[in-house]
Amino acid sequence: MVARLRFAPSPTGPVHVGNVHTAVFCWALSRALKGDFIIRIEDTDTERNTAEATRLLFDALTWIGLDWDEGPDVGGEFGPYVQSQRRPLHQRVIEQLADEGHAYYGDDPAHPASPAGNPLRLKMPQTGETILHDAIRGEIRFDNGRLQDPVIVRSSGEPLYHLAAMTDDHDMGITHVVRGEDFISTAPIHLQLYRAMGWAEPVWIHLPLILNRQGQKLKKRDPEGGYLMSDFQAAGYLPAALFNYLLLLGWMPDNGQEVVDKWEVRQQFRLERLSASPSTFDWDKLNWMNRQYLQRHSNEKLAELLRPFLEEVYDELPMQNEWLVRLTAVIRDGLNKLEDAVAAAEWAFADNFAISPGAQEALHGESAHPVLTRLVAELAHVVLLDEATAQSILQGLRNSFKESEGWKPTAVFHPIRAAITGQTGGPPLAEIMAILGKNRTLQRIANALRL
Ligand code: GLU
């Protein structure tokens, strides 16, 4: 039998990373089992779902690199893949449940009301236990005495999740239901429904919650960072890195090797390696993971990825590609995510940068004026300020001031760095000077000398 797994989101708003986490696990298990991955849009909450939210969902799934075998966009033999279009199928189940006495209209099972204007309730057993066999948690037992008869169809005739999703799962031949831990509490309803209909149960997999570092459930907005997919995109996390990181929230690769590509996931992913304990969303770990993926890119490719982030903030320069590639080479080691380039490359763009207190101090030291005026004089002879030329000028200044004044390298280099970047630390000076070019370097020194 071919394994069939579905991701069944409700498109009610912006896409949260928790949703995508579920999708990634569904995808991975379907691929590991060499089965089908299906997208079903659960749009029965007509008041809350929007076409825009559906579009965002598909964008997010595509962005993170998932592919699916059946869904509203690609079709398939178990369609339609939009829940609201499956109403006739739900209706058949509703009628069967009511006709066979597994469910009743109104509030009183002893005196069922008429279907018109009354909710349909599922009859739950009064005694004994309902047992959920969860593939990663084992047996979870529910005491039947505590279970109320739940509404499964609203008085308006609209089926609720319990009825619609279970019917669809059954009709679509779903073999493994992968969903969030928050569905465990209502699982007895689902099990009872399967039993009442005489359907074979799927394998149940309730994924553990993801918590923030304070141990709370992830909200859309959180002091630690935004958890919407649009937040991760805006910060410049790479899709392959986020995909990889999300998998580590609940799954452990075989040999402890945490950086795994999609192909390795297909090979290695196994239900037995899933964990039932909640995982913590760790931004430092995500940043680390993102660096692993950033580092794989050539300067050219990385420059291409950085360009939109830089262009959004710094529009005053024409960003010539070759120049941007050189800038990328200088700043890349300091980046966790693409958006970090905005701060890391500030010196290359803004001529009226702020001057840090350390840099102020360097510019007011006794070496500043002699060093900067000598540098201006040296640069005057230069035609093209490339890195090698800048390097040899800097070495010359250093040796000469050491000999004549006994100054340490910092007495020479700090004022220069302060003058051209406003900072006392950063990438190698010669690289900075080459990226700025002769005119901008001279301009910045002239500004500093006027301070
Ligand atoms: N539509 C439900 C949700 O988005 C799906 C839950 C499930 O996978 O069954 O939460």
Side-chain angles (χ1 to χ4, degrees):
M1 189 170 73
V2 178
R4 291 177 54 80
L5 287 86
R6 90 297 187 277
F7 173 57
S10 305
T12 52
V15 188
H16 191 273
V17 75
N19 282 118
V20 176
H21 176 257
T22 305
V24 163
F25 273 68
C26 258
W27 176 89
L29 188 57
S30 74
R31 294 312 178 227
L33 295 171
K34 303 203 171 13
D36 298 329
F37 180 49
I38 299 141
I39 309 282
R40 181 176 74 227
I41 296 295
E42 301 206 324
D43 62 339
T44 44
D45 190 347
T46 40
E47 276 165 27
R48 287 175 64 223
N49 67 71
T50 66
E52 170 67 0
T54 304
R55 188 186 66 75
L56 290 174
L57 255 163
F58 279 101
D59 284 356
L61 299 178
T62 307
W63 182 79
I64 199 120
L66 304 188
D67 61 298
W68 46 95
D69 307 294
E70 296 168 34
D73 54 341
V74 292
E77 53 177 305
F78 291 82
Y81 294 90
V82 175
Q83 195 160 63
S84 58
Q85 294 167 15
R86 302 179 66 87
R87 280 297 286 278
L89 296 161
H90 304 152
Q91 198 53 40
R92 287 217 313 257
V93 173
I94 292 171
E95 281 160 21
Q96 188 179 333
L97 287 170
D99 289 350
E100 292 180 358
H102 297 297
Y104 58 91
Y105 285 96
D107 299 326
D108 183 359
H111 303 95
S114 84
N118 284 298
L120 182 69
R121 285 192 159 79
L122 184 68
K123 258 189 214 159
M124 298 297 282
Q126 302 298 303
T127 55
E129 281 183 332
T130 299
I131 301 173
L132 167 67
H133 298 275
D134 182 283
I136 54 178
R137 296 160 194 272
E139 272 186 11
I140 304 175
R141 292 169 175 267
F142 300 85
D143 182 354
N144 287 338
R146 295 159 171 254
L147 306 172
Q148 306 260 319
D149 292 348
V151 172
I152 53 174
V153 180
R154 289 207 175 91
S155 48
S156 61
E158 210 183 314
L160 289 177
Y161 167 82
H162 312 308
L163 185 119
M166 298 313 117
T167 302
D168 293 349
D169 284 348
H170 170 262
D171 290 350
M172 291 178 154
I174 299 303
T175 58
H176 298 66
V177 168
V178 177
R179 57 184 187 177
E181 179 179 321
D182 37 342
F183 287 95
I184 292 180
S185 60
T186 46
I189 303 171
H190 310 144
L191 294 169
Q192 200 46 45
L193 226 149
Y194 267 87
R195 247 158 254 170
M197 290 303 294
W199 295 334
E201 267 182 52
V203 177
W204 301 100
I205 298 146
H206 291 91
L207 296 175
L209 284 176
I210 307 173
L211 305 174
N212 69 12
R213 277 189 284 214
Q214 278 75 49
Q216 302 151 331
K217 258 179 93 167
L218 303 187
K219 296 187 236 27
K220 285 189 178 158
R221 297 272 156 227
D222 191 278
E224 293 192 354
Y227 290 109
L228 296 180
M229 289 308 279
S230 51
D231 296 321
F232 292 93
Q233 290 165 335
Y237 287 102
L238 300 181
L242 185 59
F243 167 84
N244 194 157
Y245 177 67
L246 291 180
L247 274 170
L248 299 183
L249 298 177
W251 173 64
M252 193 55 198
D254 287 349
N255 49 10
Q257 163 79 37
E258 292 182 313
V259 181
V260 277
D261 64 22
K262 265 170 48 179
W263 181 249
E264 291 165 318
V265 173
R266 282 168 183 264
Q267 305 297 308
Q268 284 193 30
F269 200 84
R270 274 196 308 281
L271 211 41
E272 299 77 54
R273 303 282 302 179
L274 297 195
S275 155
S277 32
S279 17
T280 302
F281 199 98
D282 180 344
W283 289 91
D284 294 334
K285 183 78 180 272
L286 172 62
N287 286 339
W288 172 84
M289 183 64 82
N290 207 50
R291 276 202 307 277
Q292 311 306 306
Y293 282 85
L294 280 176
Q295 277 164 12
R296 295 178 175 186
H297 288 311
S298 63
N299 291 330
E300 286 73 15
K301 176 67 188 171
L302 192 51
E304 205 179 287
L305 296 173
L306 293 178
R307 180 181 282 278
F309 287 81
L310 295 172
E311 280 182 347
E312 200 185 313
V313 180
Y314 306 117
D315 49 12
E316 71 266 31
L317 273 184
M319 280 182 222
Q320 203 235 340
N321 199 49
E322 189 254 346
W323 180 83
L324 190 57
V325 171
R326 276 161 53 212
L327 175 62
T328 301
V330 174
I331 62 169
R332 61 177 299 153
D333 288 345
L335 308 180
N336 284 329
K337 49 201 187 307
L338 300 174
E339 138 190 277
D340 296 344
V342 170
E346 193 186 0
W347 54 267
F349 294 96
D351 283 323
N352 54 348
F353 42 81
I355 299 179
S356 76
Q360 291 276 9
E361 201 178 302
L363 288 173
H364 288 100
E366 63 160 343
S367 64
H369 196 270
V371 166
L372 294 178
T373 42
R374 269 283 292 286
L375 181 55
V376 171
E378 296 286 341
L379 285 170
H381 306 299
V382 170
V383 181
L384 179 80
L385 182 60
D386 59 17
E387 198 184 317
T389 310
Q391 191 60 45
S392 93
I393 293 175
L394 292 169
Q395 283 311 326
L397 288 185
R398 174 198 154 141
N399 294 338
S400 146
F401 282 109
K402 184 177 176 206
E403 219 163 273
S404 63
E405 313 291 335
W407 289 341
K408 288 193 206 133
T410 49
V412 177
F413 296 145
H414 270 178
I416 300 177
R417 190 180 278 283
I420 65 181
T421 69
Q423 303 292 323
T424 49
L429 258 182
E431 292 177 19
I432 293 179
M433 289 165 66
I435 282 168
L436 290 174
K438 175 179 165 177
N439 291 342
R440 293 178 75 209
T441 303
L442 276 173
Q443 187 57 54
R444 290 183 181 196
I445 298 168
N447 290 347
L449 283 169
R450 275 198 297 275
L451 284 177

